[in-house]
Amino acid sequence: MRVKRSTLAKILAVVFVLNLAVMGVGAWYSYQEAPPIPQEVVGPDGETVVTAEQVQAGKTTFQSNGMMNHGSILGNGAYYGADYTADALDLKVAHMRDYYAREQYDASYDALAEDQRATVDVAVEGDLGDGEPGDRIEYSAAEAYAHEQVRETYVERYHEGSAERGVPEGMIESEEEAREFADFALWTAWFSHTDRPAGDHSYTNEWPYEPAAGNDATGAAMTWSVVAMVLLVAGAGFGVWLYKSIELPEPDTEGVTVPRPSEVNLFPGQAAALRFVVVGAGLFLAQVLLGGLLAHYYIERDAFFGLGELLGIDFLSMLPFAIAKTWHIDLGILWIATLWLGAGLFLPPLLTGREPKNQGRYVNGLLGALVVVVVGGLAGVWLGSKGYFDGALWWILGNEGLEYLEIGRLWQAGILVGFLAWAVLTARGLKPLLDREPRYGLAHMILYAGGSIALLFCAGFLYTPQTNIVVTEFWRWWVVHMWVEGAFEFFIVALVGVTLTSMNLLDRRSAEKAVMVQALLVMGTGVIGVSHHYWWVGQPDMWIPIGSAFSTLELIPLVFILYEAMGQYRAMAASGESFPYTLPFMFIVASGIWNFVGAGVLGFFINLPFINYFEHGTYLTVAHAHAAMFGAFGLLALGMVVYMLRIAVPEAKWRERTLRWAFWTWNAGLALMVGISLLPVGFLQLEVAFTQSYDAARSLAFYEGELVQLLFWARMPGDVLVILGTALFGYDVVKKIRVRRESASEAPADTPAAAGGVLDDD
C-alpha cells in the first residue's frame, strides 16, 4: 500500500491534536476531582488538630527542603527514604492500635493476645473508614492521638536528624515546619484511605497497599491488567499490518556514494556546536560520579567508605542525599539535552552545504547562556535547600523541590528561552530546505520535534507551591513523561532520519515517510500513555482504563524503532570497512536495543495496573529508568557526538579505539548495574509489598537486609564501568576537538550539500 507523505502528515497532525484534546479534558476533570484539603480537622472534643493553612505550609516545607529527592510522596520521588504517604499511614495505624490497646486492655498492642488484637484492628479500620470528605473533618480520639505522635516522629527524624536514615540534622529548619510537613503527609494518607463521594474506594484507588487500614488493590486494577495484555496482542497485530502495508525503503549502501568526512565542509557554526560536546561531557562525568555516591549512600547512610570518621568530615551534612540526588537527576537531563542541542545545530550544514552569516557567533552565545542557566540552577538548588532565599525566592531562584523539575522557576524559564533560541538558530541553518520543501518535510520535522519539547515544558509553569499536590503531579508528569514518550521519541526518529540522509543512506523522501510513520506510532500511544502515572496519586478513576490501554501500546513503536535500528545496522555491516560511520551506527543500534529493553520490556511489565499497584516507587522503576533514559536517550546523544567528531577530525588523526572502549564499558556497566543489582532488589521489594505492605517494602529494615545490602554492593562493578567509560569519553572528546579541522570562514554559495540531492525539488 502506497501512502503519500502528505497523507501521513495530516494523520499525524490529527493524532497530535486529539492527544492534546484528551489530555486537556483530563486536566479540567482532574481539577474537579482532586482531593479536597479540609479547612479544619477537629478532635472529639472539638479542639482543632490541623487546618488547611498548616497542610499548605507543609507542602511548601516538603518542596523547599527537597524532601521529594530524599523520599517520595504518593509513590513519586526518591526511594532512599520512606514514602511519606505510606509511612504516615503506617505510623497512624500503629499509634491508633497502641491507643486502643492501652485504652481497652492497658497493654501495648504487641503484648495483646490474637483475639484482642483482632478487636483493636476492627476498631482502627472502622475509624479510618468512617471519614468523609468535607470542609470539617472529625477525628476520633485515637486518630487525634496518632496525628500528634506522627508529628513528633517527623520532628525527631527531619529536624533533629537521623543518621541511620541518612537525614542530616536540621534538614527541616524548625520543629514547627517539621510538624507542618507531617500534617501534609498525613493529609495524603487521609485521602489514601478515604472513599470518594458516592464511591466505594479511596481517592488513590486504595493505594498504598496497607491491609491494616483496609487498603487493597481494587478489582479494576486486575481487570484492566488483563484487558491491557489483550490489547497488546491486538495492537501488535495492527501495528505489524500498518508497518508492512506502508512501503518504507530500507537503508541501503549499495550503489550509494557515502561522503567521506574529509569531503564535508566544516563551518564556524559547527565548530561552535562542538563546544556543546565539551560542556556535555563535563556534565555527564559529574552526573555519573554523583550516581556512584548515591548508590553508596544506600550502604553507608552517614559516611563514605569510612572516610568520614577517619578524616573528620561530615559527608551527610556537606552533601546530603537529597541534594546529590537533585543534581544527579538534573545533570542527567542537562548533559543529554546539551548534546542534542549541539547535534541539532551541527546537522543543518550537512544537508544544505552552507551556513548563514554569524551562525557561529550566535551558537557561542547560546552556549554561554546555557552555562549560566546550568550554574545558576544547580547553585540555586543548594542555596535554596540551605535556606538562603526568603519569601517566594526559594522556588523562583532556588530549589522548586519537584523531582526532575527541581531548579528554580527563573532557571526553568531560561531553559525554555534556550529551546526557542535553538529552534531559531536551527531554522536559520535549515532555511534552504524549509523554503523548498513542504510543511511535512524533514527539516520541518526537526523543528516540530524541538518545538514539541518546548511546548510540553510549558506545563511546568502551570502550578505554584500553593497548588494541590495532585494537580501539581498532573502537570509535572506532562513535562517528565511526555518528554520521554512523546517529544524525545519524536526527536530521536527525526534526528536519526536526518543523520541517515546526511550519509546518503536514505533519500529525503524516504526519510520523511519513515519519520512520520514512527512519529505517528509514538504520538498515538505515548502522549496519553502518561496517564499511568495518575492511577495512585488521587486522580479520577478514568485514568485506569485509559492509562492501561495506552501504556501497554507504548511497547509497539519501540519494537519498530528497534527493528529500524537493526535494519540500519545490517546496511552498515554490508558496506564493509569502507563505511566511515560504523561507530556512530553502533551507538544508534545500542540505543534502539536499550530503548526496547528499558522503556519497552521493563516499562510494559511495571505498567500493568495490578503489578504497578505494588511496584509503584520501587527499585523496578529504578531499573526501568536507568535502562530507558541512559540506554536509549543517552547512547543516542553520544552516538550523535561520535558522528560529529568523525566529521570534524581530520582522517589522518582519527582514532576511535578509546571511544570503542567507552562504548563497551558503558553497555557492560549498564547491563551489570541493571541485571545483578537493580532488578533483583526490585523483585525482592515487590515480594515484600505483596506479602506484607508497601511501607514495609520501602522501610529501612528492608534496605538493611543482608541480601539487599549484598546486592547494593554488587552494583559497584557496573557503576565503576559506567564512570570509567565516561572518563574515557571526556578525555577523548577534549583530545579530538583540539585537533579538529579548521572551519571555513565563510560558506561558499555553490558548495554542494553533503547528502546529494537533498535540495532537489519534490
Side-chain angles (χ1 to χ4, degrees):
M1 174 172 75
R2 294 187 62 84
V3 177
K4 294 182 178 180
R5 291 169 294 158
S6 57
T7 303
L8 284 173
K10 292 173 184 176
I11 296 173
L12 180 58
V14 169
V15 167
F16 186 72
V17 171
L18 285 176
N19 274 322
L20 291 182
V22 170
M23 298 307 294
V25 172
W28 172 81
Y29 195 55
S30 296
Y31 272 93
Q32 304 302 312
E33 298 296 312
I37 302 177
Q39 291 301 309
E40 184 182 35
V41 178
V42 299
D45 57 359
E47 183 179 351
T48 299
V49 176
V50 62
T51 65
E53 289 74 18
Q54 289 172 300
V55 172
Q56 289 282 18
K59 179 176 182 284
T60 297
T61 297
F62 163 74
Q63 288 185 227
S64 63
N65 289 279
M67 303 302 295
M68 198 173 192
N69 272 323
H70 181 87
S72 59
I73 197 77
L74 296 164
N76 294 326
Y79 308 151
Y80 179 70
D83 178 80
Y84 308 119
T85 303
D87 177 60
L89 181 58
D90 185 75
L91 288 172
K92 184 177 180 180
V93 167
H95 288 303
M96 289 176 68
R97 282 174 165 175
D98 187 59
Y99 179 89
Y100 279 120
R102 296 193 181 281
E103 181 186 58
Q104 297 179 16
Y105 303 105
D106 195 27
S108 67
Y109 178 81
D110 292 337
L112 297 182
E114 188 173 342
D115 60 332
Q116 294 172 325
R117 287 187 184 183
T119 301
V120 169
D121 291 347
V122 169
V124 170
E125 192 171 339
D127 277 359
L128 296 176
D130 283 344
E132 293 183 2
D135 287 340
R136 191 172 189 268
I137 303 300
E138 294 184 7
Y139 267 172
S140 68
E143 287 179 292
Y145 168 79
H147 192 111
E148 188 57 40
Q149 296 306 306
V150 175
R151 279 175 165 173
E152 295 312 307
T153 298
Y154 274 43
V155 169
E156 292 172 7
R157 283 187 197 169
Y158 302 114
H159 170 64
E160 297 174 6
S162 176
E164 68 274 11
R165 293 179 176 273
V167 180
E169 183 179 349
M171 185 173 184
I172 293 179
E173 188 173 357
S174 69
E175 292 186 10
E176 180 183 2
E177 288 177 320
R179 291 189 179 96
E180 289 171 341
F181 173 46
D183 294 334
F184 170 64
L186 282 161
W187 170 67
T188 66
W190 169 79
F191 70 73
S192 78
H193 67 70
T194 299
D195 286 354
R196 287 183 178 273
D200 60 356
H201 54 262
S202 74
Y203 283 89
T204 60
N205 293 299
E206 304 296 337
W207 189 93
Y209 178 54
E210 181 62 68
N215 277 18
D216 202 349
T218 63
M222 176 60 80
T223 300
W224 284 102
S225 295
V226 175
V227 172
M229 289 187 284
V230 173
L231 283 174
L232 176 63
V233 177
F238 174 76
V240 170
W241 172 83
L242 177 65
Y243 204 73
K244 287 296 185 182
S245 297
I246 298 174
E247 296 179 10
L248 292 174
E250 293 282 348
D252 184 13
T253 61
E254 185 177 352
V256 174
T257 302
V258 179
R260 301 292 304 181
S262 58
E263 300 170 356
V264 180
N265 281 328
L266 187 70
F267 296 106
Q270 291 177 301
L274 289 171
R275 298 189 180 97
F276 280 76
V277 176
V278 178
V279 173
L283 297 175
F284 187 16
L285 183 59
Q287 194 232 355
V288 296
L289 289 172
L290 282 169
L293 173 64
L294 293 173
H296 190 71
Y297 264 136
Y298 280 89
I299 300 168
E300 287 185 289
R301 291 190 170 236
D302 61 343
F304 185 68
F305 294 101
L307 293 176
E309 185 176 352
L310 179 66
L311 301 176
I313 299 175
D314 186 358
F315 283 99
L316 186 59
S317 296
M318 183 175 67
L319 190 59
F321 183 94
I323 293 180
K325 170 77 165 22
T326 299
W327 283 346
H328 175 70
I329 288 178
D330 290 348
L331 287 168
I333 296 171
L334 288 168
W335 75 258
I336 292 174
T338 299
L339 297 186
W340 279 9
L341 292 176
L345 294 167
F346 189 91
L347 286 172
L350 299 182
L351 298 178
T352 65
R354 64 202 67 186
E355 182 179 276
K357 289 183 178 180
N358 297 319
Q359 184 81 341
R361 181 181 302 173
Y362 297 143
V363 171
N364 282 327
L366 178 60
L367 179 61
L370 174 67
V371 171
V372 170
V373 169
V374 169
V375 173
L378 296 180
V381 164
W382 190 85
L383 293 170
S385 65
K386 295 295 183 181
Y388 284 96
F389 296 123
D390 295 326
L393 290 178
W394 70 264
W395 66 279
I396 295 176
L397 296 177
N399 179 17
E400 191 169 343
L402 297 171
E403 190 184 30
Y404 294 103
L405 297 173
E406 291 90 350
I407 63 174
R409 190 62 61 86
L410 176 66
W411 311 114
Q412 291 182 32
I415 291 176
L416 178 59
V417 171
F419 273 125
L420 297 176
W422 172 86
V424 170
L425 293 179
T426 304
R428 289 183 87 235
L430 291 171
K431 192 174 187 304
L433 271 177
L434 294 171
D435 289 343
R436 301 180 65 173
E437 71 177 16
R439 292 181 181 178
Y440 50 79
L442 195 57
H444 283 81
M445 286 292 170
I446 286 287
L447 294 181
Y448 295 155
S452 63
I453 292 175
L455 175 65
L456 296 176
F457 190 74
C458 291
F461 296 88
L462 299 179
Y463 54 79
T464 71
Q466 286 70 48
T467 304
N468 187 305
I469 186 63
V470 174
V471 176
T472 298
E473 284 296 275
F474 179 88
W475 292 119
R476 187 177 73 89
W477 283 114
W478 265 56
V479 179
V480 178
H481 184 102
M482 286 194 195
W483 266 15
V484 174
E485 301 295 346
F488 277 14
E489 295 281 7
F490 186 14
F491 196 83
I492 281 179
V493 295
L495 210 58
V496 171
V498 169
T499 303
L500 293 174
T501 303
S502 71
M503 293 179 184
N504 274 0
L505 297 183
L506 274 182
D507 65 46
R508 182 164 55 88
R509 296 174 182 83
S510 298
E512 288 166 356
K513 186 175 287 189
V515 167
M516 281 188 282
V517 169
Q518 293 187 34
L520 177 61
L521 292 171
V522 167
M523 290 292 178
T525 61
V527 174
I528 300 179
V530 70
S531 53
H532 69 255
H533 293 289
Y534 301 152
W535 294 341
W536 325 120
V537 299
Q539 290 287 340
D541 302 351
M542 69 174 193
W543 292 120
I544 292 185
I546 294 174
S548 302
F550 285 90
S551 295
T552 300
L553 296 176
E554 286 176 13
L555 177 61
I556 296 171
L558 299 180
V559 172
F560 294 134
I561 289 174
L562 175 63
Y563 175 79
E564 285 294 303
M566 298 307 296
Q568 293 153 12
Y569 174 77
R570 286 193 298 270
M572 176 267 295
S575 65
E577 296 181 0
S578 62
F579 186 64
Y581 306 111
T582 300
L583 188 56
F585 258 71
M586 290 171 61
F587 279 89
I588 293 173
V589 172
S591 173
I593 292 172
W594 280 110
N595 203 7
F596 174 72
V597 171
V601 177
L602 296 179
F604 165 71
F605 170 67
I606 67 174
N607 285 338
L608 287 172
F610 189 73
I611 298 296
N612 193 259
Y613 176 82
F614 296 95
E615 176 280 332
H616 178 51
T618 68
Y619 253 65
L620 288 174
T621 302
V622 178
H624 155 70
H626 279 76
M629 193 68 182
F630 173 61
F633 305 113
L635 283 173
L636 178 71
L638 295 167
M640 298 309 302
V641 166
V642 175
Y643 179 49
M644 294 162 63
L645 292 174
R646 186 68 182 90
I647 290 173
V649 175
E651 294 207 53
K653 296 182 179 181
W654 175 256
R655 303 289 184 274
E656 60 183 41
R657 182 178 179 182
T658 303
L659 289 175
R660 284 182 177 270
W661 273 104
F663 173 83
W664 289 113
T665 54
W666 279 325
N667 280 280
L670 186 59
L672 288 173
M673 181 198 308
V674 172
I676 69 173
S677 181
L678 302 184
L679 279 177
V681 171
F683 282 117
L684 289 174
Q685 271 187 300
L686 186 61
E687 182 181 14
V688 172
F690 270 132
T691 57
Q692 298 180 44
S693 70
Y694 180 78
D695 185 66
R698 289 286 302 276
S699 67
L700 189 61
F702 171 81
Y703 286 132
E704 290 184 337
E706 203 170 304
L707 178 57
V708 173
Q709 286 289 300
L710 178 63
L711 291 171
F712 283 150
W713 278 111
R715 178 176 168 172
M716 182 173 285
D719 282 357
V720 170
L721 285 175
V722 171
I723 292 170
L724 177 61
T726 307
L728 288 172
F729 170 75
Y731 164 77
D732 203 54
V733 161
V734 173
K735 183 179 176 181
K736 281 180 166 52
I737 288 181
R738 289 180 64 183
V739 298
R740 69 167 177 81
R741 291 188 288 140
E742 292 295 324
S743 60
S745 59
E746 192 173 307
D750 58 349
T751 303
V758 77
L759 289 176
D760 291 346
D761 290 330
D762 285 318

